[in-house]
Amino acid sequence: MMKRAWKISQNSSLSLHSLLFPIKPTLPNPSTLQFPAKGTQFCTRSVPSSRGVYKSLAGLFDLYHHSHSIGCEHWKEMCEKVEKLKDEVVACDGDGERVVGVLEEKGGVLFGRYKGGSALIELLARLRGSPRLAMEVGGFVGVGLIVVFNWRRESTDMCSPLTSEEYAKGITVAGRCKDVNLALELFREASSRDIKTSSTYNALMGAYLNNGLLDKCQSLFKKFKREASCSPTIVTYNILISVFSRLMLIDHMEATYQEINDLNLDPTLSTYNNLMAGYVTAWMWDRMEHIYKTMKERSIKPEINTYLIMLRGYAHSGRLKKMELIYEHVSQHVNENCVFLIRAMICAYCRSSDSDRIRKIEALLKLIPEEENRPWLNVLLIRVYAQEDQLEMMEKFIDDAFVRQTPVIAVGVMRSIIATYFRFNAVEKLVEFVKRAEAAGWRICRSLYHCQMVMYSSQSRLKEMENVLKQMESVNIHTTKKTLVILFKAYSKWGPTSKLEQVVGLMWKHGYEILFDVGSL
């Protein structure tokens, strides 16, 4: 993936850390650490997917740093040659035969010249980060990388045998391309050649993790711990923490973190990001903040994914002030890449009592592409506009729900709609809505019909009020004490006396107390 830099917002010179966690005047300041000065840039190797911020495991698979092993001058020379080879491979447009032809002409000499598999690893990294390839979803991005690796794997006559780092990179590539069988095949092939290293184990664990095979990932870790030739590293434990965080096994996650400390391993940024992601998944907001503070105290600099995890946590917990502080500093990245976080913030405002929530919701809605809309979000917006007595906007989202065939089954949402029509005394609109809701399979509740009866009664439209009773019967909704009270009040005010007496008789029959001062409904 391409590296991109994200500037911190220039709007405030204050530390984000001090804004999120202000120090009380009566207490000493426990840390002099500051949020990066304005103009500082965030760097990230990947863009988090809509399935969750912590799916992009920053630093988990970037295991190899080769420049120091072959010398800076040779490294620069190698990178220039790799870049040229990458351009030629990309120009093949995913044609496997043409790719093989290019590799046979130039790949053997290049891969054989630099030790440790540096050239292959750098080529695979650059191919994965190519903008042209990145647009080919499900196409050459995956297949092309595997073609390149398999050519190197089968060309031992032109190059030296694969190194442990090359195997690890191949396993990682296979995992990212959703080819777990190939990843396992490469791991076993390396093991059969007595290449058992932390890198190959970590790569296969990462492949299992990326493909949701969490049980296999845990089983492999147990096998890894019994291995005599190598031992788990901090990367291993980072992967394991991510596994437990996704499974919401918080006790296991914390035990793994404790084991890191017991082994005197230095936690990395990925360690803390994965811990925070686990606490967000488990809705343990205070522990999320505690991990963030611990990370800052240990002089580990947060990066973009750290703040995206916290943004999600604050949105889900409804802590709007802190959510807005985080969003202010990462808004450019969120607006361009994280639609799922925009939806989470809208959801937070919908649940809040913020007096300015409509303006904030509408500003965020403009950032969501049409294809990224979700049915549940449409339902939330129906309710929030109903609560704000914005009848026109409420009906707009109701119409959208009918068009998209989104059934509303929440009683609370239906009652909010009813209450809005009642406050606007819009009985005709309510009647039309009820007909459409019945036909669309929405949640039908007795309040829909009682509200119509009350509104008809207030306008002395008794015939239409009585027709509502027939409509209730047609949808198998029985009369209750409240139904009879509505009739009692209507006939008490408008007559006729004969129908009032019939209602009184029914109330006596069912044992209901007759209140001549019924009060508000």
Side-chain angles (χ1 to χ4, degrees), residues 39-102:
T40 305
Q41 294 183 329
F42 286 131
C43 292
T44 177
R45 289 187 62 87
S46 59
V47 176
S49 75
S50 61
R51 294 178 61 185
V53 173
Y54 41 86
K55 184 171 178 58
S56 90
L57 303 169
L60 226 61
F61 306 112
D62 299 324
L63 312 178
Y64 316 111
H65 303 280
H66 306 286
S67 59
H68 68 281
S69 65
I70 63 175
C72 291
E73 289 300 322
H74 286 168
W75 174 260
K76 183 178 179 181
E77 175 189 280
M78 185 201 74
C79 287
E80 291 174 354
K81 293 180 178 179
V82 167
E83 181 66 18
K84 291 179 181 178
L85 180 58
K86 182 216 61 170
D87 291 341
E88 292 190 39
V89 170
V90 171
C92 294
D93 291 326
D95 186 331
E97 292 183 0
R98 290 175 60 193
V99 171
V100 169
V102 170

Side-chain angles (χ1 to χ4, degrees), residues 219-237:
S219 298
L220 183 62
F221 172 73
K222 294 175 182 177
K223 178 181 177 181
F224 189 5
K225 292 193 73 174
R226 297 192 298 267
E227 189 63 59
S229 60
C230 56
S231 59
T233 65
I234 187 60
V235 175
T236 316
Y237 287 102

Side-chain angles (χ1 to χ4, degrees), residues 389-502:
D389 280 344
Q390 295 197 19
L391 180 61
E392 184 176 343
M393 289 299 296
M394 179 192 79
E395 291 190 317
K396 172 185 178 296
F397 284 102
I398 288 175
D399 290 339
D400 287 346
F402 283 130
V403 170
R404 297 173 186 271
Q405 298 182 336
T406 303
V408 175
I409 59 174
V411 173
V413 176
M414 297 299 288
R415 287 177 175 168
S416 295
I417 295 171
I418 296 165
T420 302
Y421 283 126
F422 180 79
R423 288 191 291 270
F424 278 85
N425 196 28
V427 63
E428 281 75 19
K429 291 187 175 184
L430 175 59
V431 171
E432 179 62 24
F433 166 73
V434 171
K435 290 178 180 178
R436 296 175 73 187
E438 289 175 346
W442 288 27
R443 178 66 178 267
I444 301 301
C445 55
R446 190 174 282 104
S447 300
L448 286 168
Y449 304 98
H450 282 172
C451 186
Q452 291 181 65
M453 292 175 66
V454 171
M455 294 170 76
Y456 281 135
S457 171
S458 67
Q459 299 175 22
S460 187
R461 297 164 64 177
L462 301 187
K463 183 65 176 178
E464 291 157 297
M465 179 190 73
E466 292 166 354
N467 288 337
V468 175
L469 292 173
K470 298 176 182 177
Q471 190 178 357
M472 289 175 62
E473 186 178 350
S474 68
V475 294
N476 202 29
I477 292 181
H478 305 292
T479 59
T480 63
K481 178 181 178 180
K482 190 169 185 177
T483 314
L484 295 175
V485 168
I486 294 170
L487 293 170
F488 179 85
K489 291 189 68 176
Y491 292 134
S492 295
K493 183 176 182 179
W494 305 106
T497 304
S498 59
K499 290 189 176 181
L500 175 62
E501 291 173 349
Q502 290 177 14

Side-chain angles (χ1 to χ4, degrees), residues 259-267:
E259 188 172 347
I260 290 174
N261 294 324
D262 293 342
L263 293 171
N264 292 320
L265 295 173
D266 292 327

Side-chain angles (χ1 to χ4, degrees), residues 270-452:
S270 290
T271 311
Y272 294 111
N273 281 353
N274 294 337
L275 286 167
M276 291 170 63
Y279 287 131
V280 169
T281 303
W283 290 31
M284 301 172 75
W285 323 120
D286 292 339
R287 294 195 189 184
M288 176 198 74
E289 290 187 333
H290 173 73
I291 290 298
Y292 174 75
K293 293 176 184 178
T294 301
M295 178 178 66
K296 295 284 287 184
E297 289 167 1
R298 294 191 178 185
S299 300
I300 294 179
K301 183 180 178 181
E303 46 85 73
I304 188 71
N305 284 337
T306 311
Y307 295 112
L308 298 183
I309 292 168
M310 296 180 72
L311 178 60
R312 188 181 185 198
Y314 288 136
H316 288 331
S317 63
R319 301 181 183 185
L320 299 187
K321 183 177 179 180
K322 291 185 176 182
M323 180 189 80
E324 290 169 349
L325 286 171
I326 295 281
Y327 178 62
E328 179 184 353
H329 286 80
V330 295
S331 58
Q332 180 183 353
H333 181 81
V334 171
N335 295 349
E336 294 179 4
N337 302 284
C338 303
V339 174
F340 70 101
L341 284 176
I342 295 175
R343 289 194 295 259
M345 288 190 289
I346 292 174
C347 185
Y349 285 125
C350 286
R351 297 195 311 265
S352 76
S353 56
D354 190 318
S355 59
D356 198 25
R357 64 177 180 168
I358 292 296
R359 183 188 63 81
K360 295 175 180 178
I361 288 171
E362 291 178 345
L364 291 172
L365 283 173
K366 294 176 182 178
L367 302 173
I368 301 180
E370 181 67 23
E371 64 275 9
E372 291 288 347
N373 278 324
R374 295 292 183 268
W376 60 265
L377 182 60
N378 201 59
V379 174
L380 282 180
L381 293 171
I382 291 173
R383 184 170 190 176
V384 76
Y385 280 113
Q387 292 170 341
E388 295 291 333
D389 280 344
Q390 295 197 19
L391 180 61
E392 184 176 343
M393 289 299 296
M394 179 192 79
E395 291 190 317
K396 172 185 178 296
F397 284 102
I398 288 175
D399 290 339
D400 287 346
F402 283 130
V403 170
R404 297 173 186 271
Q405 298 182 336
T406 303
V408 175
I409 59 174
V411 173
V413 176
M414 297 299 288
R415 287 177 175 168
S416 295
I417 295 171
I418 296 165
T420 302
Y421 283 126
F422 180 79
R423 288 191 291 270
F424 278 85
N425 196 28
V427 63
E428 281 75 19
K429 291 187 175 184
L430 175 59
V431 171
E432 179 62 24
F433 166 73
V434 171
K435 290 178 180 178
R436 296 175 73 187
E438 289 175 346
W442 288 27
R443 178 66 178 267
I444 301 301
C445 55
R446 190 174 282 104
S447 300
L448 286 168
Y449 304 98
H450 282 172
C451 186
Q452 291 181 65

